[in-house]
Amino acid sequence: MTGQTDAKLEQVCKIIEKHHSDGSKLIPILQEIQEVYRYLPEEVIDFTARKLKIPAAQVYGVATFYSHFALTPKGKYLVKVCNGTACHVKKSIPVLNAIVEKLKLSEGKMTTDDMLFTVETVSCLGACGLAPVMVINEDVHGMMTPTKAVAEIDKILAEEAAK
Amino acid sequence: MTTDKFVLVNGQEVPIEGEKNLLELIRKAGIEIPTLCYHPKLSVYGACRLCVVEIEGRGIQTSCSTEPEHGMKVKTHTPALRNIRKVAVELFLANHKVECPTCDQMGNCKLEEVARKLGVNEVRFKKIKDFRPADTGSVSIYRDPDKCVLCGQCVRFCKEIHGVGAIDFAFRGKNTYVTPAFGRSVGEGECVNCGQCAAVCPVGAIVVNKHIAPVQKALDDKTKTVVVHMAPAVRAGIGEEFGLPASHETTGKMVAALRRLGFDKVYDTVYAADLTIVEEGTEFVNRLTKGGVLPQFTSCCPGWIKFIEEYYPELLPNLSSCKSPQQMMGAIMREVLPEKLGVKNEDLFVVSIMPCTAKKFEIRRPEFEYAEGKRDTDEVITTQELARMIKAAGIDFVNLKPEEFDMPLGDKTGAGVIFGVTGGVTEAALRFAVEKVTGKVIDSKDLDYKAVRGSEGLLEATLDVDGTKLRIAIVHGLANAHKVCKELMNGEVKYDFIEVMTCPGGCINGGGQPIDFNQAAKIERRTKELYDADKEMPRRKSQDNPAVISTYETLLKEPCGEKSHHLLHTKYYKRTF
Ligand code: SF4
Ligand code: SF4
Ligand code: SF4
Ligand code: FES
Ligand code: FES
């Protein structure tokens, strides 16, 4: 194990301790663990299940029930394209398609191999006035077009290349 | 219980006598209501909606989750209800991999039965669920999620009765399915292989993993000498497959059938059960009198063994070091049969017939090999599989003339026979240990230790043996084992001897027994059958088994001696999952 995974696992232990290893607190515990890893890795779920003395199958059941929890790792930049009613009407799908094509992704594969981007669709981000809306990590981008969306991706790619 | 409270079911007054729900009450009145998700020993799930009834003033409700109330007016088969049930069955069938003729559950399938009874003759809905691959990674059970109706009985059984929870629902909506974590195989995790999930599954989504093919191959191989032995509980089950009650005669028919199938020798695991009692009883008396680790746990159930290795490795020193009867039998056979039958061990193929799916796991433990990669017991087939082989071979079981077991490994006593029921191992051990401790022969009329008979999941008894108080606990259903182990570790309880069986009721209700969805009735029936068989036996104490006596004279010399340790005892290991 690398030092980084050790440090993260320690954080997981702290989270579990904070909740007194109480299985009934499973959802907030998973929520906080997801903040550490940005998803719920298999080994961490198994570890958590053992600590909480809950069957792993049950923890997995909870983690897969709520779409909020992710079981596969996400890229450094999480690109959420809204496809709520307002955004859909204002042509969010072409925006999505442009990004998917730009990043060479496909329906079953929404994270780039270099783990830089993960693309997701969401329903209504509560910013319908700005439809169609795209959010990259915390930054909201309104009134998107396919060209503007690709430009935002290019901007990040350039920044990353400069690092 | 007498009561003046009643429910009107289809106009008929049905007294309320403590039923938990309307469904039980309606069934008591002799009215059959179909169900897929209801199990009387599990929490109510209320998902299949087949059990709907009309209650005046309340409309349509699921009877499994409605408490009976005095004066309720209930209708069970109105046109509206029949329609709901039909639509529900159609919805199940739409998303079900319908392949009845080749399905393992054929003949026992609830979905098929319900569809037939309701007269469902078309399915108007389209499949919406995605294909999920079958789980083939367990030696004990086979799971096919494409046949699952999401009744949740397996999930609740494993969690509520066993406190294991190896499988659960994952995802939601149309993607919901039953699985271990991360879609892994149930064979990889904490599953103890008991097969109870298969026993409760109303459809073919979880079934016993079958090993008929390798056994048939050995039978067809002229270079192999194929020997077989069968567990006590098998005789309280096999008849059900042929509409016969359990009896000495039915057991004899099974022996005859096994010879017709081509088995060269037909022995009885009960011989090894008797041997187990002498070893385990001696071990217990030694621990008791020489200050050994107490309580002593029984070790004949491989489901329980895996469980304690996983959850309570601290208690492994408490586990009797005795192998299970199946593995004692295997070891003895490998030791004596080559010479006796004039055959090399490589050409000796050992099959055991068990009520149990966990035994399939047990034979594959590396401890149980007579040589590198060579198993003591080659294959286990369950009662279910044996019945299938007999039927496939076109044997007219019902009209077979009963035959006797081969000797000497077919010799037995009543003590070994009751191994198959919860409390039986304890009772058999007592018939041995009490004689050992007191030095007096127990009178035959005093052989029934009624205090250790009963159906409670956790039974406690204290027995006075010449002034020594023996504190005994008898446990079945692993959730009860969790309880006892925790209390022991916290020092809250003290016992001398604890029997643990994974399956409720013991092996008579093992996961490999013939399918019968009425758990309470089958346990009661099969329990009685084994106790009756014990009563009929000329010898009822393991130490009186002539074959056991001669095994000590010629091979083992003394119980728990050096040779025994080598052949009949084993070690346990902490397991992580
Ligand atoms: S075989 Fe027993 S332990 Fe394994 S999943 Fe089924 S019920 Fe649970
Ligand atoms: S596998 Fe069988 S018992 Fe389990 S939920 Fe599916 S249909 Fe029910
Ligand atoms: S109780 Fe009997 S049938 Fe059940 S797992 Fe144990 S040995 Fe097998
Ligand atoms: S629909 Fe996209 S923000 Fe509301
Ligand atoms: S039995 Fe009542 S809902 Fe399934």
Side-chain angles (χ1 to χ4, degrees):
Chain A
M1 261 198 204
T2 68
Q4 201 205 354
T5 59
D6 271 350
K8 283 189 175 173
L9 211 56
E10 218 164 278
Q11 269 176 278
V12 172
C13 289
K14 288 224 178 80
I15 292 167
I16 295 172
E17 264 164 47
K18 193 180 87 193
H19 291 281
H20 311 291
S21 305
D22 180 354
S24 67
K25 303 279 161 57
L26 181 59
I27 292 176
I29 291 173
L30 290 180
Q31 158 72 33
E32 288 171 41
I33 294 175
Q34 177 153 299
E35 277 165 24
V36 176
Y37 291 88
R38 306 184 67 227
Y39 80 110
L40 297 170
E42 186 167 342
E43 324 75 76
V44 178
I45 290 236
D46 285 337
F47 177 81
T48 307
R50 268 198 294 277
K51 282 271 171 193
L52 297 179
K53 296 200 180 351
I54 313 181
Q58 191 176 336
V59 180
Y60 180 70
V62 170
T64 53
F65 185 81
Y66 297 96
S67 49
H68 170 77
F69 293 120
L71 292 155
T72 43
K74 298 219 166 149
K76 183 168 169 196
Y77 297 92
L78 181 57
V79 183
K80 292 184 198 159
V81 179
C82 180
N83 195 29
T85 315
C87 291
H88 186 83
V89 170
K90 296 247 175 146
K91 301 202 163 32
S92 55
I93 293 295
V95 173
L96 174 71
N97 289 344
I99 300 170
V100 165
E101 196 176 315
K102 166 77 193 169
L103 295 172
K104 298 195 172 59
L105 297 171
S106 60
E107 210 186 299
K109 178 178 187 294
M110 289 304 243
T111 298
T112 55
D113 289 336
D114 58 7
M115 296 302 289
L116 213 46
F117 292 97
T118 295
V119 180
E120 280 177 359
T121 55
V122 291
S123 47
C124 194
L125 290 159
C128 309
L130 295 174
V133 179
M134 169 174 96
V135 177
I136 303 183
N137 290 348
E138 309 297 311
D139 301 332
V140 180
H141 303 265
M143 317 257 183
M144 278 292 111
T145 63
T147 327
K148 282 206 253 172
V150 170
E152 290 300 335
I153 302 285
D154 277 329
K155 213 165 91 193
I156 295 172
L157 283 171
E159 278 169 23
E160 285 292 326
K163 275 184 191 165
Chain B
M1 200 196 312
T2 55
T3 165
D4 44 14
K5 298 208 163 64
F6 62 84
V7 173
L8 273 176
V9 182
N10 302 336
Q12 171 199 349
E13 275 186 24
V14 183
I16 303 174
E17 293 162 313
E19 286 83 11
K20 293 175 294 202
N21 51 56
L22 268 182
L23 177 65
E24 297 272 351
L25 180 127
I26 293 168
R27 285 186 167 166
K28 180 182 71 180
I31 299 166
E32 181 46 31
I33 293 203
T35 59
L36 281 179
C37 71
Y38 181 72
H39 187 295
K41 294 278 187 243
L42 303 175
S43 61
V44 171
Y45 187 47
C48 75
R49 304 203 55 86
L50 290 178
C51 70
V52 282
V53 293
E54 263 182 56
I55 306 172
E56 200 175 284
R58 289 210 215 169
I60 291 174
Q61 306 275 337
T62 46
S63 61
C64 69
S65 44
T66 307
E67 239 180 88
E69 283 170 28
H70 177 56
M72 257 181 178
K73 291 184 183 147
V74 177
K75 295 221 168 79
T76 61
H77 286 78
T78 63
L81 295 172
R82 282 205 295 263
N83 191 46
I84 292 176
R85 290 186 193 130
K86 254 177 122 157
V87 170
V89 169
E90 275 187 67
L91 285 166
F92 283 125
L93 285 170
N95 284 297
H96 186 79
K97 182 159 90 189
V98 180
E99 50 171 34
C100 308
T102 53
C103 178
D104 211 88
Q105 191 79 351
M106 184 56 176
N108 292 312
C109 179
K110 275 265 197 185
L111 183 58
E112 193 246 327
E113 180 193 318
V114 171
R116 197 164 17 86
K117 282 195 182 157
L118 293 174
V120 176
N121 43 24
E122 58 166 348
V123 174
R124 291 163 295 175
F125 309 106
K126 286 228 153 32
K127 184 178 173 83
I128 51 163
K129 285 206 290 190
D130 293 335
F131 170 80
R132 301 260 184 201
D135 175 1
T136 57
S138 160
V139 292
S140 302
I141 54 174
Y142 174 90
R143 299 187 315 115
D144 186 350
D146 275 2
K147 289 189 186 150
C148 175
V149 295
L150 299 175
C151 73
Q153 291 197 60
C154 56
V155 169
R156 282 174 287 145
F157 200 104
C158 195
K159 206 181 290 179
E160 295 172 13
I161 306 291
H162 285 335
V164 171
I167 44 181
D168 211 325
F169 291 110
F171 298 93
R172 64 153 98 188
K174 74 180 179 72
N175 297 319
T176 310
Y177 82 121
V178 171
T179 179
F182 292 92
R184 294 186 293 236
S185 168
V186 71
E188 290 169 39
E190 61 269 65
C191 165
V192 303
N193 301 296
C194 70
Q196 287 298 323
C197 50
V200 296
C201 182
V203 293
I206 308 185
V207 295
V208 170
N209 194 24
K210 306 291 192 290
H211 293 90
I212 296 175
V215 172
Q216 191 59 54
K217 186 163 165 254
L219 288 170
D220 294 339
D221 182 343
K222 291 286 154 279
T223 67
K224 299 276 182 210
T225 299
V226 188
V227 295
V228 65
H229 59 100
M230 57 124 173
V234 176
R235 64 210 76 204
I238 189 74
E240 294 170 19
E241 293 270 1
F242 301 95
L244 294 175
S247 66
H248 185 65
E249 208 182 304
T250 302
T251 307
K253 286 178 192 288
M254 173 163 57
V255 174
L258 287 165
R259 295 215 175 91
R260 302 284 153 90
L261 284 170
F263 289 98
D264 294 295
K265 293 284 173 197
V266 182
Y267 298 123
D268 201 338
T269 324
V270 178
Y271 153 80
D274 282 331
L275 193 58
T276 306
I277 282 304
V278 175
E279 289 293 320
E280 192 164 343
T282 305
E283 181 185 357
F284 177 60
V285 173
N286 286 346
R287 287 186 191 227
L288 202 62
T289 53
K290 294 178 188 154
V293 182
L294 287 172
Q296 175 173 311
F297 280 118
T298 57
S299 60
C300 37
C301 168
W304 151 242
I305 298 290
K306 184 159 187 265
F307 176 91
I308 187 173
E309 288 180 325
E310 287 168 347
Y311 295 96
Y312 303 98
E314 305 86 339
L315 295 176
L316 288 177
N318 294 75
L319 208 48
S320 160
S321 62
C322 287
K323 291 180 184 174
S324 71
Q326 165 172 277
Q327 291 314 126
M328 286 205 181
M329 194 73 172
I332 293 280
M333 283 178 160
R334 293 290 170 195
E335 186 77 10
V336 305
L337 289 187
E339 196 187 330
K340 186 170 149 49
L341 304 180
V343 48
K344 290 201 294 275
N345 253 330
E346 294 78 55
D347 295 326
L348 183 68
F349 194 90
V350 176
V351 177
S352 57
I353 301 168
M354 293 285 140
C356 175
T357 50
K359 295 276 170 196
K360 291 174 183 276
F361 173 83
E362 181 180 56
I363 59 167
R364 291 169 171 84
R365 291 180 66 119
E367 300 88 81
F368 301 139
E369 291 178 349
Y370 66 90
E372 180 80 25
K374 303 229 187 286
R375 299 202 288 263
D376 283 343
T377 307
D378 290 288
E379 290 296 349
V380 170
I381 54 170
T382 57
T383 316
Q384 278 181 25
E385 290 162 87
L386 173 62
R388 202 167 289 185
M389 285 182 80
I390 294 172
K391 289 174 189 169
I395 295 168
D396 177 9
F397 188 87
V398 175
N399 292 311
L400 278 178
K401 216 167 136 297
E403 294 177 12
E404 291 298 328
F405 285 92
D406 285 301
M407 291 294 156
L409 302 185
D411 225 340
K412 63 184 131 296
T413 74
V417 170
I418 55 173
F419 250 68
V421 26
T422 174
V425 177
T426 305
E427 184 163 346
L430 285 172
R431 292 180 192 174
F432 174 83
V434 169
E435 283 196 355
K436 267 271 159 256
V437 172
T438 61
K440 287 179 262 187
V441 174
I442 315 171
D443 196 90
S444 62
K445 69 174 184 349
D446 299 329
L447 279 173
D448 289 352
Y449 289 90
K450 292 263 162 60
V452 301
R453 297 186 180 184
S455 59
E456 301 93 289
L458 169 54
L459 187 73
E460 293 176 284
T462 307
L463 222 83
D464 194 325
V465 182
D466 263 9
T468 312
K469 288 228 182 325
L470 291 184
R471 292 156 301 183
I472 297 166
I474 292 157
V475 175
H476 49 128
L478 292 174
N480 294 313
H482 266 311
K483 180 170 182 284
V484 168
C485 289
K486 279 187 196 138
E487 289 176 349
L488 269 179
M489 288 182 22
N490 296 337
E492 291 162 35
V493 290
K494 285 220 170 356
Y495 296 108
D496 300 301
F497 187 88
I498 304 179
E499 171 190 315
V500 185
M501 294 289 164
T502 298
C503 300
C507 307
I508 46 155
N509 181 34
Q513 288 283 67
I515 291 176
D516 179 345
F517 293 118
N518 191 339
Q519 182 179 302
K522 75 179 158 185
I523 292 178
E524 203 190 304
R525 180 179 66 240
R526 293 171 188 168
T527 301
K528 181 171 181 303
E529 286 166 353
L530 285 197
Y531 283 134
D532 286 350
D534 167 37
K535 272 253 181 267
E536 283 171 17
M537 298 293 292
R539 297 187 183 88
R540 298 183 60 205
K541 291 176 279 185
S542 298
Q543 60 271 35
D544 295 347
N545 182 330
V548 169
I549 294 169
S550 103
T551 304
Y552 280 109
E553 279 165 7
T554 56
L555 178 70
L556 301 168
K557 308 302 172 219
E558 52 166 348
C560 294
E562 204 189 311
K563 190 80 180 168
S564 286
H565 265 279
H566 168 62
L567 283 179
L568 308 181
H569 292 252
T570 184
K571 283 200 174 64
Y572 310 102
Y573 304 92
K574 180 184 158 99
R575 263 173 210 274
T576 42
F577 58 88

